[in-house]
């Protein structure tokens, strides 16, 4: 003790307290930094949004400036005619009777904007409905009512299995088979495709929101729903003649719109006991006792090319919702939101770089 005091040091107990305080002070920012990198997925085996987008890119050749999935599509504009029935389950402004403008996009899955339409087994429909008081509602739907996989990790594994082999330029069938063997939930998706041929046109397909969403009505009552949009036109399967035209989907859409608007009814399917709320690989039973609410009509009036059309820079993030609608705990919703935004950042940067280089 005399030695410590002779050198101007505080007693050992005080130095211990001082050291402990410094440990706490330094540990707080270190913990925050660690949480940040963990959430970003930099040092975690779980897939971050950039890693998932990287995996999408590995399934095709580079196509700068285009979406990493659903690269081929067409913009549409129109409005939503709400009939007020949706207020039975939600206080969202979109369900108040009225007419609300929208911008949308019809597309097929895949990262190649030049692929033939006949290669697409699924049709996709995305919408942004502009609402009062600065709100909007964004929907991303497919013509299949379920997803192939349940989690972002499974999606990441699926994309890796579908990645192009550098030697052959094609996916490795052994990797895909290993993925399918380890993910039996994919069988339900494959069975649906086997039993439901893709539609002959964009405008005669039913589109499904797939994930569940939580609705809150004016009394604060919560209900979960899955929505679908059902066309006025009858479904017809695609045939061999159609498949010979590489762009038959957009061509037929433009031709049909020249004769008048196209309409889909928004149907809200209310969850029943036993329905899965957080697993989008499981289809809800088609029960006659299930409440189904026709909440209004999506009306498409015009179509424009995606290169310079109004949908070009829209992120159809399914978690952008008006008050009265909220995401469920389905893990794919957050993953879709983050990957869509990473895709936008990359294609925006690529367009800027091309302009800077005079291309």
């Amino acid at each position: 003790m005399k030695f410590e005091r002779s050198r101007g040091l505080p007693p050992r107990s005080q130095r211990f307290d001082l050291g402990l305080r410094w440990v706490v002070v330094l540990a707080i920012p270190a913990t925050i930094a660690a949480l940040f990198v963990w959430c970003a997925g930099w040092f975690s085996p779980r897939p971050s949004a950039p890693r998932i987008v990287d995996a999408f890119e590995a399934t095709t050749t580079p196509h700068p400036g285009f979406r990493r999935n659903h690269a081929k599509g067409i913009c549409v504009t129109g409005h939503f005619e709400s009939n007020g029935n949706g207020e039975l389950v939600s206080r969202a402004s979109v369900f108040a009777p009225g007419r609300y403008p929208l911008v949308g996009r019809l597309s097929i899955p895949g990262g190649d904007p030049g692929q033939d339409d006949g290669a697409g087994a699924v049709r996709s429909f995305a919408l942004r409905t502009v609402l009062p008081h600065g709100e909007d509602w964004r929907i991303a739907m497919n013509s299949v009512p379920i997803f192939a996989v349940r989690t972002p990790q499974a999606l990441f594994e699926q994309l890796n299995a579908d990645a192009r082999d550098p030697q052959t330029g094609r996916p490795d069938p052994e990797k895909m088979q290993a993925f399918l063997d380890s993910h039996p939930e994919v069988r339900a998706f494959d069975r649906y495709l086997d039993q439901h041929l893709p539609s002959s046109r964009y405008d005669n397909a039913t589109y499904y929101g797939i994930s569940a969403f939580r609705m809150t009505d004016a009394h604060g009552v919560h209900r979960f729903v899955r929505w679908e949009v059902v066309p006025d036109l009858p479904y017809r399967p695609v045939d061999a003649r159609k498949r010979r035209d590489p762009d038959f989907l957009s061509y037929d859409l433009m031709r049909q719109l020249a004769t008048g608007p196209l309409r889909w009814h928004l149907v809200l399917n209310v969850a029943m006991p036993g329905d899965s709320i957080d697993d989008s690989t499981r289809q809800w039973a088609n029960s006659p006792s299930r409440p189904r609410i026709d909440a209004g009509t999506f009306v498409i009036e015009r179509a424009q090319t995606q290169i310079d059309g109004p949908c070009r820079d829209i992120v159809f993030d399914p978690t952008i919702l008006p008050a009265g609608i909220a995401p469920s705990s389905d893990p794919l919703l957050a993953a879709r939101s983050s990957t869509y935004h990473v895709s936008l950042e990359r294609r925006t940067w690529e367009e800027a770089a091309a302009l800077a280089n005079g291309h």
Side-chain angles (χ1 to χ4, degrees), residues 20-136:
L20 183 60
R21 285 198 295 271
W22 275 108
V23 168
V24 172
V25 169
L26 294 175
I28 292 173
T31 301
I32 293 173
L35 287 172
F36 177 80
V37 298
W38 181 84
C39 290
W42 296 346
F43 302 133
S44 171
R46 72 186 185 90
S48 63
R51 292 177 67 202
I52 292 176
V53 176
D54 289 344
F56 271 112
E57 292 175 352
T59 63
T60 186
T61 54
H63 299 284
F66 286 90
R67 297 170 193 259
R68 271 33 183 188
N69 193 19
H70 301 277
K72 185 177 185 180
I74 186 169
C75 296
V76 292
T77 54
H79 62 274
F80 176 61
E81 295 176 354
S82 175
N83 57 24
N85 291 340
E87 293 183 318
L88 292 170
V89 292
S90 175
R91 61 183 177 84
S93 57
V94 69
F95 297 130
R99 177 169 168 160
Y100 308 102
L102 65 82
V103 175
R105 189 171 184 268
L106 288 152
S107 64
I108 55 176
D112 182 358
Q115 69 178 327
D116 288 355
D117 287 350
V122 177
R123 316 284 182 242
S124 299
F125 197 8
L127 294 166
R128 179 196 178 197
T129 304
V130 181
L131 303 173
H133 313 299
E135 289 189 310
D136 66 53

Side-chain angles (χ1 to χ4, degrees), residues 38-344:
W38 181 84
C39 290
W42 296 346
F43 302 133
S44 171
R46 72 186 185 90
S48 63
R51 292 177 67 202
I52 292 176
V53 176
D54 289 344
F56 271 112
E57 292 175 352
T59 63
T60 186
T61 54
H63 299 284
F66 286 90
R67 297 170 193 259
R68 271 33 183 188
N69 193 19
H70 301 277
K72 185 177 185 180
I74 186 169
C75 296
V76 292
T77 54
H79 62 274
F80 176 61
E81 295 176 354
S82 175
N83 57 24
N85 291 340
E87 293 183 318
L88 292 170
V89 292
S90 175
R91 61 183 177 84
S93 57
V94 69
F95 297 130
R99 177 169 168 160
Y100 308 102
L102 65 82
V103 175
R105 189 171 184 268
L106 288 152
S107 64
I108 55 176
D112 182 358
Q115 69 178 327
D116 288 355
D117 287 350
V122 177
R123 316 284 182 242
S124 299
F125 197 8
L127 294 166
R128 179 196 178 197
T129 304
V130 181
L131 303 173
H133 313 299
E135 289 189 310
D136 66 53
W137 183 25
R138 304 193 191 187
I139 313 176
M141 301 172 289
N142 288 335
S143 58
V144 179
I146 52 175
F147 278 121
V149 294
R150 181 180 183 181
T151 66
Q153 178 64 44
L155 172 61
F156 185 63
E157 293 172 12
Q158 181 185 28
L159 291 169
N160 283 337
D162 197 36
R164 292 190 173 212
D165 185 293
Q167 302 298 323
T168 65
R170 296 187 298 272
D172 183 340
E174 292 185 1
K175 288 184 178 180
M176 180 54 71
Q177 188 59 53
F179 166 78
L180 294 174
D181 291 342
S182 62
H183 290 277
E185 71 273 19
V186 178
R187 295 170 191 162
F189 184 85
D190 289 341
R191 280 196 302 270
Y192 188 91
L193 291 181
D194 289 341
Q195 297 167 8
H196 299 81
L197 290 176
S199 61
S200 61
R201 299 206 306 254
Y202 277 135
D203 51 52
N204 63 8
T206 295
Y207 297 94
Y208 303 89
I210 303 174
S211 296
F213 291 81
R214 189 184 72 175
M215 300 287 192
T216 305
D217 68 17
H219 305 288
V221 176
H222 302 305
R223 300 176 183 86
F224 285 92
V225 307
R226 285 180 176 176
W227 50 68
E228 60 191 69
V229 295
V230 182
D232 277 355
L233 296 175
Y235 159 81
R236 288 189 177 87
V238 68
D239 57 30
R241 181 183 60 83
K242 285 281 187 185
R243 290 179 188 271
R244 288 196 292 269
D245 181 348
D247 301 304
F248 70 88
L249 288 171
S250 57
Y251 173 77
D252 284 351
L253 179 73
M254 298 287 285
R255 186 175 63 177
Q256 194 70 20
L257 283 171
T259 67
L262 298 167
R263 291 176 170 82
W264 285 262
H265 289 266
L266 172 64
V267 177
L268 307 176
N269 298 291
V270 182
M272 299 172 61
D275 287 336
S276 176
I277 302 303
D278 62 355
D279 185 352
S280 54
T281 67
R282 296 172 58 188
Q283 190 173 359
W284 288 0
N286 187 18
S287 170
S289 59
R290 180 182 305 283
R292 285 171 55 86
I293 301 169
D294 184 332
T297 307
F298 289 111
V299 181
I300 301 302
E301 299 162 318
R302 289 176 293 278
Q304 301 90 4
T305 64
Q306 66 173 0
I307 297 299
D308 54 3
C311 73
R312 188 189 71 165
D313 298 325
I314 295 178
V315 176
F316 293 100
D317 178 348
T319 66
I320 296 179
L321 303 160
I325 310 176
S328 67
S329 56
D330 185 337
L332 285 177
L333 283 172
R336 291 169 67 191
S337 172
S338 57
T339 54
Y340 292 177
H341 285 276
V342 170
S343 174
L344 174 66

